Structures are given as C-alpha cells and as structure tokens.
Amino acid sequence: MIVLSPRWLWCAETGLREGAHLIIAGDRIADIVSERPNGDAQRIELPDGLLMPGLINLHNHAFSAPLFRGLADDIQPGDLPGHILFSLLMPLGDLVSEIMSAEAIGDAVEMSLLESLMTGTTAMLDIWRPQQHEFVPRATGLGLRTWSCPYLFTQPNLTMDEAGQPAWRGADASDASFDFVMRLHAERHQGPDGLASIGFGPHGPDSNSPALLRRIDRAARELGAIVSIHCAQNPMEVAAVKAAHGKGSVAHIADCGLLRPGVILGHAMFATDEEIAMVRDAGSTIASCPLGFARSGRGVPLARFLESGVRLGIGTDGVTLDMVDELRAAAMLAKTQSGRAGFGSAERLLTAATRDAADALQRPDLGRLTPGSRADVVMFDLSRPRYQPVWNPLRALLTNGQGSDAHTVITAGEIRVRDRQLQRGDAAAITRRGRAAIEAVWAEAARRGAIPASLAAQREFA
C-alpha cells in the first residue's frame, strides 16, 4: 500500500481538494480520505505538494526530440529548400533508419522517455517508424504507459520535386507496413492490465491510399486499437487530398471510416471550422502540439479548438518533452488568439492533458483520481520561490512551474520517480548513451549532406 499526503489534490472529475490523503493498493487508487490512514504503507508526504492524474502526451515522436533538438530551431530564410517537414524532418528520419543500429535508436529513445517521465508524464501516444521498435521495451522498462502507433505508408519515400513541393514516391508499402503493425500487436500488445498498447499510425491522408485507410479502420475496430493520423497538418497535404479526392482531408478520412471515437487527429492545424465541427460530432479527438508549430513561426488555433467543443488533447510532437511547458504554450496561445484572459484556463488545459486524453484513448480508468482508477499519478512540489505564495496551485503550476518539479511519479501503482530521483535505472547513464547516439548520427548526416550545408555550418562536427 502507498499513501500520498499532499497539500492539494485535483482531478477534472472531483475538482480541487485540500488536506486529503490518497491510498494506492496494487495498481489502483483504493480511496481518498480526509484523516491520515493507519497501517503499514509506503508514505510520501509533501506539505506543498499538488497531486493530480499523471499527464498524458497525446501526440509525440520520441526519437525526433533529441534528433532535431536545436537543429530545427531558428531556421532562417534560405536554410532549407522547402517546407521543414519535407526538406529536413522526414528525410533525416529516413536516413536514420539506414545508418543507426536498433540499440543506438533505443538509446536515443530512452533518453527522451526519461525526460518525459521525470517531468510528470505517465502515459504517451507515440508515432514511430518500424526501425524504432526499441521504443516498446525501453518505455516499459522505465514504467511509462504507452500507445505505440507505428507509421503506415502506401508510398513511403518522401522527396522534393523541382518546384520544391513534397512528392511521395517508392514501391507500394501498404502490405508491409500493415503486416508490421499486426505482428507488433500480436507480440507486444498488453491491453489495459499492461503498460504497452499497440495501435495504428497511418502517416496521413496524402501518403496512404483509401484502400489502406479502410483496411486500417477494419483492423482497428476488430482489435479495439487506437488510430492516430496526421490530418490537415499543412497546406500541401490539404491540397494533395483535394486534388486526388475532391474533398478536404477530414471528409476524406471520414469516407474511409476514420472519423469516430478511438481515432485521434494529429494537429488539424489547417482544418476549417466546419471540419472541426465534424471531428467533434463524430466523437474523434484533435491532438494539438503548440510548440512544434511555434518553432516554425505558426500558432496552432487553440482558441478555435476550445471554442468548438471538440475533444482536445495536447502533445509535444517531439520538440520539448515537458508537458508543463507545452500546456503553458497552449494557454498563452488561447488567451492571445481569443483576446480573453480567462480563456484556456489552467484547469481547462490540465483537463485536456488528463481526463480528456484518457477518454480519447478509450481508457476511463485513467486520467482521474477516483477510487478504482488506475494509479497513474504525479505530485508536483510547489515549495520553490517561483510558486510562493500559492493562490491557486493549478494556475501556479502552469504560469510559473516546470515539469522538473515533479517530485513523485507513479504508474500502475509503482513508484517510478521519488524525490526527483529515478527509482529504476541510471538516469545519468541513460542520458550519456542517448547523447552519444544522436551526436554520432548528426556527424554522419552532415557528412552525407542530409543536413543542409547552411545548417551543418552552424555546428562543428568531429
């Protein structure tokens, strides 16, 4: 039994409470009581602690975080021959699959997962390439609850045409990518009682044929699996879908069966108000990643999402892995876009990152501090000067806080982080291995020209 005694407890279901104690038995929350419980237990008391459901990162690319850290920032005119996604992010990802060993990829991924866990994330939906399959054991080893949604492609090779526009080429990979996910599900999916779940990650409506999207829909329904698909994420995709199918991206995936509960749309950055309403009415979810687009000079339409009533989750998209940072960015965008100081409140966005994200994953046993819910929780320490004095702990966390103030992180009823220290594994060694893996691939990518010369010149490679 574990007893957590913070100053404040919060979840979207029950609101903010003060002076209560949360009891964990096995992998479940057993009770919340006002009197200090007696009996043998592991006890963690934090006088300025804020206890809440663990944060759920609803759209991430763990391997991309260290790979593009600094490299994809402050891009100047002329640094890239086209859109950052098509001229740097995707091509470099392709090269990595060729030159990195599975172990090295795993080392880089584990460093990202460590950062997530140490900053209060307890669950994550991650989209990755088949060569990054080490994600599953590395995440499970750290104790993170994950949904792996490997990419599926009809045409897997992305190049730039003479006009600087994206062009999908290559042999049809529909069967190979579909079969990979089906094998992975059979071998690695643990279901609700485990930490690892496997879903489908069709890259987008422009890179997957209608036949493949419908095949994914049928299999996902049969398996009860989550589907994550980038949709309306950039103008080129929207134009390509319109040219090929005569309709917008949201309507197209709806025609393929992929606008329904259990489907999460990545970004929807260029979705119209009508399309956002379609997502809402179908019971799907939008996963928005503010910092990923802000890095390229664009603000995601947070105010429109919130105003529409669509179910909204927040992801880090492999930029920062600190969900507190991401939620703060979401709050600032919502306020500035709406012109209303009270819009995008701390409570609303924390709800998006806990209960609403759990519901998007069709897991009502997560994202809550209620008896019977899974014991995935985080306790932030608000004792530092940047928080004091505390008027409202939720506002204090999102306005002034840092994910590194996660004092205690518990998943599946097991303490993974205590007093800011990793309880299973050597955090310093994980970081050393991850750093070495990425620095090696940076050097090789620069040598091969996969990193444009104007960017490579900004760093001296050994």
Side-chain angles (χ1 to χ4, degrees):
M1 186 168 72
I2 300 171
V3 176
L4 303 176
S5 300
R7 179 174 175 183
W8 303 279
L9 295 90
W10 174 85
C11 84
E13 297 285 292
T14 59
L16 188 64
R17 299 177 59 179
E18 190 166 357
H21 308 265
L22 185 138
I23 302 170
I24 296 172
D27 71 342
R28 304 271 183 169
I29 295 172
D31 205 356
I32 300 174
V33 297
S34 56
E35 299 295 328
R36 190 177 189 275
N38 297 318
D40 292 335
Q42 295 187 73
R43 298 179 184 272
I44 302 177
E45 299 183 2
L46 202 59
D48 285 300
L50 169 62
L51 178 64
M52 65 173 62
L55 300 173
I56 301 174
N57 186 338
L58 204 58
H59 186 97
N60 190 49
H61 307 279
F63 180 75
S64 296
L67 180 63
F68 297 110
R69 187 164 286 161
L71 175 61
D73 297 327
D74 298 336
I75 300 296
Q76 301 298 318
D79 281 348
L80 297 174
H83 191 284
I84 186 173
L85 176 64
F86 305 111
S87 58
L88 178 64
L89 305 186
M90 294 290 289
L92 187 52
D94 289 337
L95 178 64
V96 161
S97 301
E98 175 187 341
I99 66 177
M100 288 186 79
S101 68
E103 182 178 2
I105 290 173
D107 288 343
V109 165
E110 189 173 13
M111 182 172 65
S112 292
L113 297 172
L114 173 67
E115 180 184 353
S116 299
L117 183 69
M118 298 292 289
T119 53
T121 292
T122 57
M124 173 188 296
L125 186 153
D126 204 89
I127 308 102
W128 43 265
R129 297 165 184 265
Q131 295 84 356
Q132 297 164 17
H133 55 81
E134 273 290 304
F135 175 93
V136 181
R138 301 292 181 118
T140 303
L142 285 171
L144 266 173
R145 193 181 299 276
T146 57
W147 280 257
S148 290
C149 294
Y151 275 135
L152 294 95
F153 292 98
T154 296
Q155 292 180 294
N157 299 324
L158 179 64
T159 60
M160 302 293 291
D161 64 20
E162 294 75 11
Q165 296 300 306
W168 294 99
R169 299 191 174 100
D172 191 311
S174 299
D175 288 345
S177 57
F178 182 84
D179 291 347
F180 172 81
V181 177
M182 294 298 288
R183 288 195 305 273
L184 187 73
H185 190 280
E187 295 168 1
R188 294 286 194 175
H189 183 72
Q190 297 176 346
D193 292 330
L195 291 174
S197 295
I198 308 300
F200 293 84
H203 177 268
D206 54 337
S207 53
N208 286 258
S209 69
L212 179 56
L213 293 178
R214 293 189 179 101
R215 188 180 183 190
I216 290 166
D217 175 55
R218 290 192 298 270
R221 289 175 189 265
E222 181 179 339
L223 296 171
I226 294 297
V227 178
S228 174
I229 180 169
H230 295 95
C231 188
Q233 71 165 329
N234 60 66
M236 287 78 79
E237 171 223 305
V238 173
V241 172
K242 181 74 171 177
H245 307 291
K247 60 191 68 176
S249 292
V250 175
H252 176 57
I253 66 169
D255 284 352
C256 297
L258 292 176
L259 200 65
R260 56 175 175 77
V263 177
I264 299 166
L265 279 65
H267 309 310
M269 173 75 180
F270 293 90
T272 65
D273 289 345
E274 181 182 1
E275 288 175 319
I276 295 170
M278 290 172 62
V279 178
R280 178 198 64 211
D281 295 344
S284 294
T285 302
I286 290 174
S288 186
C289 308
L291 287 174
F293 283 88
R295 176 168 68 176
S296 297
R298 293 186 179 273
V300 300
L302 256 298
R304 290 173 54 219
F305 292 155
L306 291 170
E307 196 78 67
S308 74
V310 70
R311 185 189 293 120
L312 178 68
I314 302 296
T316 60
D317 205 28
V319 180
T320 178
L321 290 167
D322 183 338
M323 281 288 287
V324 175
D325 277 349
E326 201 74 43
L327 291 168
R328 180 182 299 113
M332 294 302 106
L333 280 171
K335 294 175 193 302
T336 55
Q337 290 168 358
S338 68
R340 289 180 274 168
F343 210 60
S345 68
E347 184 169 11
R348 175 66 186 87
L349 289 168
L350 286 167
T351 297
T354 53
R355 185 193 66 190
D356 290 355
D359 289 349
L361 294 165
Q362 300 191 305
R363 290 293 300 271
D365 58 334
L366 297 174
R368 296 153 169 86
L369 298 185
T370 52
S373 295
R374 303 276 177 175
D376 287 14
V377 304
V378 57
M379 187 156 58
F380 290 98
D381 182 2
L382 307 189
S383 66
R384 296 193 171 185
R386 59 177 160 268
Y387 297 106
Q388 295 296 321
V390 176
W391 179 273
N392 176 293
L394 306 183
R395 298 173 190 170
L397 179 65
L398 286 204
T399 301
N400 303 101
Q402 297 177 355
S404 58
D405 287 326
H407 176 281
T408 302
V409 181
I410 295 174
T411 65
E414 293 191 29
I415 300 172
R416 313 295 182 176
V417 177
R418 182 170 186 169
D419 196 17
R420 298 184 176 87
Q421 300 298 311
L422 184 67
Q423 299 298 290
R424 180 192 296 180
D426 184 335
I430 291 170
T431 304
R432 285 195 301 271
R433 292 194 298 267
R435 171 183 173 177
I438 294 299
E439 289 188 331
V441 79
W442 277 351
E444 181 62 14
R447 188 185 70 80
R448 294 191 182 201
I451 297 176
S454 58
L455 295 183
Q458 297 171 17
R459 187 177 194 270
E460 183 176 333
F461 291 88

